[in-house]
Amino acid sequence: MPGYLYKNKSDIEYYLIWASRPLPKNKFSKYRGVQRNTDPAKPYRVAFRFKCQHYVIGAFSDEIEAARAYNRAALRIIGEAARPLLNDVPESSEQQ
């Protein structure tokens, strides 16, 4: 989706339009922001773009843990506007 089509939108509105597109069927993970990592010990990585910046959150051994990390990072970086895009995973009861 070219950015020139949305020049009158704010950065957050543009991100929400871009990020809320349907996930592809051949996606590695069913969670938004979770990607394939090259390290077999930690096969999941979390990364996303916002305001022309690429944020790499880290590598994880568990897909659910990676989805939670995406949720925390999106809220911290984007703010409350990211709530509709958060992954639907329960927060862990124990702190690691």
Side-chain angles (χ1 to χ4, degrees), residues 26-45:
N26 61 349
K27 192 167 179 335
F28 175 69
S29 172
K30 64 181 179 178
Y31 297 110
R32 187 173 303 282
V34 179
Q35 305 167 355
R36 182 187 317 260
N37 194 20
T38 55
D39 182 8
K42 293 186 176 183
Y44 304 98
R45 83 179 198 134

Side-chain angles (χ1 to χ4, degrees), residues 33-66:
V34 179
Q35 305 167 355
R36 182 187 317 260
N37 194 20
T38 55
D39 182 8
K42 293 186 176 183
Y44 304 98
R45 83 179 198 134
V46 175
F48 63 94
R49 289 185 177 275
F50 179 65
K51 290 188 176 181
C52 300
Q53 294 285 336
H54 189 224
Y55 296 95
V56 177
I57 308 306
F60 302 90
S61 57
D62 182 31
E63 186 176 19
I64 303 289
E65 182 185 353

